[in-house]
Amino acid sequence: MSGLADPSSAGEPSGSSAKPSRRVAYYYDQDVGNYTYYLGHPMKPHRIRMAHNLIVNYGLTDEVEEDAPDLEGEGKREMNDDLPGLAPEHKFVKNSLTGSRSKHMQVFRPHRATKAQMTRFHTDEYIEFLENVTPETAEAMTGGGVRCLIGEDCPAFDGLFEFCSISAGGSLGGAERLNSGAADIAINWAGGLHHAKKTEASGFCYVNDIVLGILELLRIHPRVLYIDVDVHHGDGVEEAFYTTDRVMTCSFHRFGEFFPGTGDVRDVGMKRGKGYAVNVPLRDGITDESYHTIFKPVIQHIMDYFRPGAVILQMGADSLSGDKLGGFNLTLDGHGECTKFVKSFGVPVMMLGGGGYTTKNVARAWTNETAVMCGKTLPEDLPYNQYMEYYGPRYKLEVLPNNTDDHNAPEYLDKIRTQVIENLRNLPHAPSAQMRQIPSQTISQAIGLTKENDQIDPDDEIEIRLKKFMQDKQLNGGYTPHESDDEDVPMNGDLDYDDSAYSIPGRHRRQGLNGLPRRALPSRIINGNKRNNTLNGQFEDEDDEEDPCGVGRKKKRSFFSNKHAKNGVQGLVNKKLNGLNALTVGNGGIVEFWKENGSINGGGGGGVSRGESPMSVV
């Protein structure tokens, strides 16, 4: 960090410690464009596929010829320096191990995030909910839309969990590659979902891949900086790190009667994290010139005072001119200038997507910013691509400003900038953090060449999942007879009726109870009801919550019930979950509504959510 580049440079890092080129790792999963929230929803994952198609047709992912004469010829990988001590004739072996042999950047298909990885931030119950919810069961599992998926912004659509695993997997993969030192810049346009909370989806975001990526970066770097240029405030990331000084969050967003309604300049963090949340509230219609009169000074002071070891840059394209939900007036050059300025400091950067609801402009912006990170200037005329008809009638790599009035007066911007910089000056210079030795890894894993599950063929994943499913079913299914049991005990899976005596909880089924043989408990008919003997000589009904072993242990219950109560949703919410009474819809907490006049009150009022649909905020 001692050789920070002069921010006034044109974009390439300068100085004694700056590298002549930056190694770029680009993450893309071809399945990400297959998902849709619902017809007419403003968030369209298809935009990521459009951006990738434009990036490919601009030649940023072209492969190197294998018959390239030498390192100085056409085959030289300008963005990926050769490993020390590697003979020139072995360079293509190295390229094949570290990603697609691109002239400008390495291209990877990320490993999809697992539930265990997602629960580094989110709760187990919430991730389990995302895996199991479907459009048909959403009403019952959310208690009528008051839990986990609130309002219409975040619907339960087919393939929801897979979509979240792709988004989170790309950000985790990029963070791991930056940590290993195998790349200087990582790009994941499927990420940047900054509104998701620990136990709740919000603002089109279900799993907060940004928080997961930051947590991974904190394993290596003492301090991480998060910069958000989305038109909406990055409330989910700020909330996650609001009380720590190891992560500084800086958000430039539209403020006022606008989703999510947070991000005042006076919100600076609390406790140990006081001063490490930077918010720059802006007004409608801000232009390139006005935007950078506050963006560059604030980022410059943060880099000087905080001295981060890595930066996560959220490049939401809804701050561009002409966006369907945004209200800013930035052009393609003004938006890309943020990328160029952050890159100029020479710090490892992970660049993510985010918002953006005019798909053709989103594809243009992310293609241009990918080229900026690769150090390339793209021609203005668009190359032929699969979605050429989207870019008419000019077919140019441009986003032009409109005639919207700029409500950000110079006096207002000066006041905000002065207050933010004053808050930064009160911070201790570059706070330290105790670092410990990371868990041991193999050499290939340490430098980012391989991972533990690289040997698994993606085509075999379905077979592995089916095999695991069958094993779990055999383990958790019916009773497995013991060799000392009577011969007339039915075999596992061949029961003639559903008897809870043959569904003893897993620990008792596998090990027996206190060393006793694993035997089926005989059933008796008493007063017309089937009862099972317990080990202490008592009888328990099958429907009782006590287990059939009579040890007072409750049955394992899932977080959400899969049975409808007799009284509908109200009865469902009143059911006991994990032994606790859930709050009812009628008397559970205070429901706040966004009014048209911007106030928050318990009364009515027709407010709008991020998707311009009525909703309440709990």
Side-chain angles (χ1 to χ4, degrees):
M1 291 297 298
S2 59
L4 289 177
D6 182 3
S8 62
S9 61
E12 291 300 324
S14 60
S16 58
S17 65
K19 297 181 180 180
S21 62
R22 308 292 303 278
R23 297 166 298 167
V24 181
Y26 172 83
Y27 288 85
Y28 174 74
D29 191 310
Q30 60 188 3
D31 294 335
V32 71
N34 296 336
Y35 304 97
T36 179
Y37 284 43
Y38 59 76
L39 185 63
H41 195 283
M43 172 64 90
K44 303 183 186 302
H46 179 67
R47 67 208 173 117
I48 305 169
R49 178 177 289 171
M50 290 178 57
H52 176 74
N53 191 265
L54 196 57
I55 290 170
V56 169
N57 284 279
Y58 261 116
L60 295 176
T61 61
D62 286 350
E63 292 186 353
V64 176
E65 303 84 354
E66 294 191 13
D67 58 349
D70 51 53
L71 286 176
E72 302 300 327
E74 295 181 0
K76 180 181 178 182
R77 300 188 67 200
E78 299 179 30
M79 305 308 298
N80 299 275
D81 301 333
D82 290 277
L83 297 177
L86 189 66
E89 60 270 18
H90 296 154
K91 64 171 186 167
F92 293 109
V93 177
K94 183 264 297 185
N95 293 344
S96 64
L97 292 175
T98 56
S100 175
R101 300 189 300 274
S102 169
K103 294 179 181 178
H104 310 304
M105 61 186 180
Q106 296 169 295
V107 182
F108 299 94
R109 181 179 180 180
H111 292 280
R112 300 189 178 184
T114 63
K115 292 197 297 183
Q117 291 174 323
M118 295 182 188
T119 53
R120 295 176 185 176
F121 170 62
H122 298 282
T123 61
D124 296 350
E125 293 82 4
Y126 177 64
I127 297 301
E128 192 76 21
F129 166 84
L130 292 180
E131 186 181 31
N132 296 325
V133 69
T134 63
E136 294 75 20
T137 62
E139 181 72 14
M141 295 182 67
T142 62
V146 299
R147 182 174 57 243
C148 295
L149 303 182
I150 299 177
E152 299 179 358
D153 285 353
C154 299
F157 57 89
D158 292 327
L160 171 59
F161 184 77
E162 289 79 6
F163 174 75
C164 296
S165 66
I166 292 174
S167 172
S171 297
L172 285 171
E176 291 170 358
R177 197 154 189 85
L178 293 180
N179 282 346
S180 66
D184 303 313
I185 297 170
I187 302 174
N188 175 34
W189 293 127
L193 306 180
H194 57 171
H195 292 303
K197 307 299 192 303
K198 190 178 186 71
T199 61
E200 176 186 319
S202 175
F204 313 159
C205 307
Y206 299 86
V207 171
N208 201 317
D209 64 288
I210 304 174
V211 174
L212 298 176
I214 292 176
L215 292 175
E216 179 65 26
L217 289 174
L218 289 175
R219 296 178 61 247
I220 301 297
H221 302 282
R223 296 173 300 279
V224 175
L225 170 63
Y226 169 69
I227 303 174
D228 192 321
V229 300
D230 194 289
V231 74
H232 300 92
H233 177 234
D235 56 336
V237 183
E238 179 182 278
E239 178 182 309
F241 301 104
Y242 205 61
T243 59
T244 179
D245 61 355
R246 291 191 61 192
V247 178
M248 177 172 283
T249 60
C250 179
S251 177
F252 300 83
H253 52 271
R254 180 181 170 190
F255 185 72
E257 299 178 13
F258 196 66
F259 182 90
T262 56
D264 191 276
V265 69
R266 294 167 292 184
D267 298 335
V268 296
M270 61 184 298
K271 297 182 179 179
R272 189 172 181 178
K274 186 174 183 179
Y276 292 92
V278 178
N279 287 296
V280 183
L282 302 172
R283 298 172 179 171
D284 295 351
I286 191 168
T287 61
D288 294 349
E289 183 179 358
S290 298
Y291 194 88
H292 288 288
T293 58
I294 192 169
F295 178 86
K296 291 184 177 180
V298 169
I299 297 301
Q300 178 65 61
H301 280 79
I302 290 177
M303 299 299 290
D304 291 340
Y305 284 90
F306 189 61
R307 317 281 298 180
V311 176
I312 289 187
L313 181 59
Q314 200 266 19
M315 296 299 297
D318 48 6
S319 53
L320 287 169
S321 172
D323 188 82
K324 294 179 180 179
L325 298 184
F328 286 175
N329 197 16
L330 297 182
T331 66
L332 192 70
D333 294 335
H335 199 261
E337 183 66 23
C338 300
T339 305
K340 186 180 297 184
F341 185 77
V342 173
K343 180 190 175 186
S344 67
F345 291 97
V347 180
V349 177
M350 182 161 67
M351 187 166 62
L352 307 175
Y357 310 101
T358 303
T359 56
K360 59 182 180 180
N361 290 344
V362 174
R364 288 183 172 116
W366 290 351
T367 300
N368 177 66
E369 283 142 22
T370 301
V372 169
M373 286 302 189
C374 293
K376 302 298 176 182
T377 301
L378 301 178
E380 188 178 25
D381 293 328
L382 294 178
Y384 181 80
N385 61 86
Q386 186 177 353
Y387 307 100
M388 198 68 181
E389 65 275 8
Y390 282 73
Y391 305 104
R394 291 175 56 86
Y395 305 101
K396 301 282 187 180
L397 187 67
E398 63 182 9
V399 176
L400 301 177
N402 53 37
N403 57 357
T404 303
D405 294 333
D406 186 359
H407 297 278
N408 297 270
E411 297 78 12
Y412 173 76
L413 295 178
D414 290 341
K415 181 179 179 181
I416 295 294
R417 180 173 59 250
T418 301
Q419 186 169 352
V420 169
I421 294 176
E422 187 64 28
N423 293 337
L424 293 173
R425 287 177 178 171
N426 295 329
L427 297 179
H429 188 72
S432 61
Q434 181 181 3
M435 304 300 292
R436 299 179 180 177
Q437 184 179 3
I438 62 175
S440 59
Q441 296 176 320
T442 64
I443 295 178
S444 60
Q445 292 175 354
I447 63 177
L449 298 183
T450 60
K451 296 180 182 178
E452 295 179 359
N453 52 353
D454 272 352
Q455 67 272 16
I456 300 177
D457 189 346
D459 295 335
D460 297 334
E461 290 181 358
I462 183 64
E463 297 182 5
I464 296 174
R465 293 174 63 185
L466 286 174
K467 182 178 179 181
K468 183 178 183 300
F469 173 79
M470 296 303 297
Q471 290 175 346
D472 293 343
K473 183 177 180 181
Q474 183 178 6
L475 183 63
N476 298 322
Y479 166 75
T480 302
H482 190 265
E483 59 183 0
S484 62
D485 289 343
D486 297 334
E487 295 181 356
D488 57 346
V489 176
M491 297 297 292
N492 182 28
D494 296 329
L495 299 177
D496 295 332
Y497 53 86
D498 183 12
D499 194 338
S500 62
Y502 298 107
S503 300
I504 304 175
R507 180 171 63 87
H508 305 302
R509 187 186 313 113
R510 295 191 299 270
Q511 302 173 0
L513 180 62
N514 298 328
L516 296 178
R518 296 173 293 179
R519 302 176 56 89
L521 301 179
S523 300
R524 297 186 180 183
I525 305 297
I526 299 178
N527 296 330
N529 297 323
K530 186 184 299 180
R531 298 175 180 264
N532 294 316
N533 279 339
T534 62
L535 296 181
N536 57 8
Q538 298 178 354
F539 297 101
E540 297 290 343
D541 291 338
E542 280 188 327
D543 295 333
D544 286 346
E545 292 186 354
E546 299 292 331
D547 67 8
C549 294
V551 294
R553 180 174 177 266
K554 297 289 185 179
K555 284 186 179 179
K556 183 178 180 182
R557 303 178 69 93
S558 60
F559 184 73
F560 298 104
S561 175
N562 57 0
K563 295 182 180 180
H564 292 275
K566 295 181 179 179
N567 296 329
V569 174
Q570 181 70 26
L572 174 65
V573 178
N574 290 330
K575 284 184 67 66
K576 292 184 178 181
L577 303 178
N578 294 329
L580 298 176
N581 285 323
L583 293 176
T584 62
V585 177
N587 57 9
I590 300 176
V591 180
E592 299 175 346
F593 293 86
W594 285 102
K595 284 190 170 184
E596 292 182 350
N597 58 5
S599 63
I600 304 176
N601 202 329
V608 294
S609 67
R610 181 179 180 184
E612 303 296 339
S613 60
M615 69 169 292
S616 63
V617 180
V618 179

